[in-house]
Amino acid sequence: MLAVIGGSGLSQLANLDVSHREVLRTPYGEPSGAVTFGQICGRPVAFLARHGYGHTIPPHEVNYRANVWALCKRGAVGIISVASVGCIRADLKPGDLVIPHQIIDYTWGRKSTYHEGPEGTLAHIDFTEPYDRALREQLILAADAIGIPVSKAAVYATTQGPRLETAAEINRFERDGADVVGMTGMPEAALARELAVPYAAISVVANYAAGRADSLEGISFESIQGVLHESMGQVRLLIEKMVDRGD
Ligand code: HPA
């Protein structure tokens, strides 16, 4: 079963033929909401809204451990994360879809490992390649097959939020090598790796990052929402194609 974690702009999968919803409990507390189970093209898919179904949980308060744990324990063999980002790299623009291949973690104070506590076992996962290569490849092949343009590599900078960045912070991220910036990429990716569940992401560019192009004078949250609505239609098609191909 493939699992999809949807972010801002994707609080449900319209093409999911829903069978039921389950409220799951985990040793790490409660996930962001009930997990929706169903089928896309006759294949099982689970969906979880990262910020809750009413979009009430801010990025730094998402229980990433519970979300990833719940999906894994209910049989997810792969997780696709969908999340909006601001773009830093010059060839990207609002509306673009990006499949990141690397991540930089600027977050702090988030519960970012299952390996802690008095009874925790020490583990240092390999995270050289934070996204699963095969799952990324499947997304890219699906996008090519239906002619949806995607940027096939990008470095995703994860910021703490919930505020947006300063222009100087974005300049720093760019010097660090980041192409896009979002608030939820970590610790989600690392937790999936700890549980050995393949994980890949579709980043949806919602806006130019702070201080860039039309964000020079500030970023309007309303315009972000409008862009997301259009692009999420493409995201749904992409996931559908990927599930349908089943490779
Ligand atoms: N910065 C951080 N997170 C985001 C942005 C941004 O500009 N846009 C959408 N998510």
Side-chain angles (χ1 to χ4, degrees):
M1 177 187 75
L2 185 74
V4 177
I5 304 180
S8 304
L10 193 75
S11 56
Q12 54 182 13
L13 267 183
N15 47 359
L16 181 65
D17 187 7
V18 176
S19 63
H20 66 290
R21 293 192 168 78
E22 280 180 37
V23 176
L24 300 167
R25 296 210 155 65
T26 82
Y28 304 95
E30 295 202 4
S32 298
V35 178
T36 306
F37 294 89
Q39 296 198 331
I40 293 179
C41 302
R43 295 177 194 260
V45 173
F47 179 82
L48 176 61
R50 182 183 289 112
H51 302 286
Y53 288 91
H55 204 280
T56 50
I57 310 171
H60 62 294
E61 286 178 356
V62 169
N63 190 340
Y64 295 96
R65 292 199 299 183
N67 287 354
V68 174
W69 183 273
L71 294 173
C72 180
K73 294 302 152 188
R74 276 299 273 103
V77 295
I79 297 178
I80 302 294
S81 154
V82 181
S84 66
V85 292
C87 61
I88 301 174
R89 205 174 70 207
D91 66 313
L92 295 172
K93 60 182 184 319
D96 286 356
L97 302 187
V98 177
I99 313 294
H101 74 295
Q102 276 294 336
I103 203 160
I104 303 176
D105 188 5
Y106 298 98
T107 67
W108 47 269
R110 300 183 179 188
K111 295 215 176 286
S112 54
T113 178
Y114 295 109
H115 299 285
E116 63 177 20
E119 279 156 40
T121 49
L122 183 63
H124 300 286
I125 51 158
D126 173 57
F127 207 44
T128 311
E129 260 187 80
Y131 298 101
D132 183 76
R133 197 182 282 189
L135 211 52
R136 287 186 65 250
E137 190 63 20
Q138 284 174 42
L139 280 173
I140 290 168
L141 287 173
D144 286 349
I146 48 175
I148 291 181
V150 294
S151 181
K152 297 177 180 175
V155 177
Y156 177 116
T158 317
T159 52
Q160 177 70 357
R163 67 166 176 84
L164 292 158
E165 299 70 43
T166 66
E169 285 169 334
I170 293 300
N171 289 339
R172 172 193 169 201
F173 295 168
E174 183 172 47
R175 287 194 298 275
D176 286 354
D179 300 309
V180 295
V181 56
M183 299 177 190
T184 56
M186 287 291 283
E188 208 172 75
L191 292 166
R193 179 63 54 81
E194 283 193 353
L195 297 183
V197 188
Y199 177 97
I202 307 171
S203 301
V204 184
V205 178
N207 57 283
Y208 290 104
R212 302 295 165 96
D214 69 0
S215 298
L216 199 60
E217 304 291 334
I219 297 173
S220 134
F221 196 70
E222 289 68 36
S223 63
I224 290 187
Q225 297 304 100
V227 170
L228 285 182
H229 185 70
E230 284 202 5
S231 302
M232 288 306 169
Q234 292 203 313
V235 169
R236 289 191 184 96
L237 286 178
L238 180 50
I239 291 171
E240 188 173 304
K241 188 67 187 176
M242 181 186 169
V243 171
D244 194 25
R245 287 174 59 95
D247 54 12

